[in-house]
């Protein structure tokens, strides 16, 4: 089950059913099934608070992914700052919606086992994001 909630922001207007189907298709391409996924759309202040409290980081980010996956079942909480998504969209000359879907699937790709912090991993993640966005 995939749930979508907000905190201190308006719901960003994604089509929940279509997004859920898309997420399931993307996960399946990695041999994964979707278990319990919770999205929380929030503002910069909230994601900074979560970043400080749970990760010890003192900076804004577009998404934080908490991974509770077991075996081939992906489970997790994904916290997305719509403020940072909006800023990134402007910076990269993308629409807000396009950048939002990129961030939504970025978290799922992390749950599927794709990382983006080590050498060369960023390129792999970006290619996986592009492939997933093409499936939308």
């Amino acid at each position: 089950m995939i749930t979508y909630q907000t905190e201190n922001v308006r719901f960003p207007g994604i089509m929940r059913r279509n997004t859920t189907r898309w997420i399931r298709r993307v996960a399946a391409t990695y041999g994964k099934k979707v278990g319990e996924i919770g999205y929380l759309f929030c503002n910069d202040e909230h994601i900074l608070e979560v970043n400080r409290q749970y990760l010890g980081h003192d900076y804004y980010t577009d998404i934080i992914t908490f991974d509770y996956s077991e075996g081939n079942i992906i489970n997790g909480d994904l916290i997305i700052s719509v403020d940072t998504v909006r800023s990134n969209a402007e910076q990269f000359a993308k629409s807000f919606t396009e950048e939002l879907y990129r961030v939504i699937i970025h978290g799922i790709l992390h749950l599927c086992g794709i990382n983006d912090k080590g050498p060369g991993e960023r390129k792999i993640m970006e290619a996986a994001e592009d492939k997933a966005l093409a499936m939308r």
Side-chain angles (χ1 to χ4, degrees):
M1 178 172 174
I2 300 176
T3 59
Y4 305 91
Q5 298 178 4
T6 62
E7 173 130 353
N8 300 323
V9 297
R10 295 169 83 166
F11 189 75
I14 60 169
M15 298 179 70
R16 295 176 205 206
R17 283 191 196 123
N18 291 345
T19 302
T20 295
R21 281 193 291 270
W22 171 56
I23 289 168
R24 290 182 192 283
R25 281 194 316 272
V26 171
T29 66
Y30 293 92
K32 307 289 184 181
K33 291 187 178 186
V34 172
E36 299 291 324
I37 304 289
Y39 280 96
L40 176 66
F41 300 99
C42 64
N43 60 13
D44 272 349
E45 288 73 31
H46 184 77
I47 206 161
L48 180 60
E49 178 183 318
V50 170
N51 221 357
R52 286 175 176 158
Q53 182 175 354
Y54 295 100
L55 302 175
H57 299 158
D58 192 26
Y59 54 81
Y60 299 107
T61 188
D62 50 4
I63 185 168
I64 298 173
T65 303
F66 292 101
D67 187 352
Y68 314 122
S69 300
E70 294 183 15
N72 288 331
I73 310 293
I74 60 170
N75 300 287
D77 289 322
L78 296 94
I79 303 169
I80 295 175
S81 170
V82 295
D83 294 338
T84 299
V85 169
R86 187 169 284 109
S87 297
N88 288 349
E90 290 173 14
Q91 180 182 346
F92 301 125
K94 304 285 184 185
S95 73
F96 170 77
T97 301
E98 183 179 358
E99 186 64 16
L100 180 62
Y101 279 114
R102 180 174 297 279
V103 173
I104 286 170
I105 211 61
H106 181 92
I108 296 298
L109 293 169
H110 274 308
L111 297 178
C112 289
I114 299 174
N115 296 312
D116 60 356
K117 300 292 185 218
E121 291 179 337
R122 186 87 195 94
K123 277 191 161 191
I124 293 167
M125 175 61 86
E126 288 173 359
E129 289 170 352
D130 291 342
K131 180 181 171 188
L133 288 166
M135 294 173 64
R136 208 176 113 237

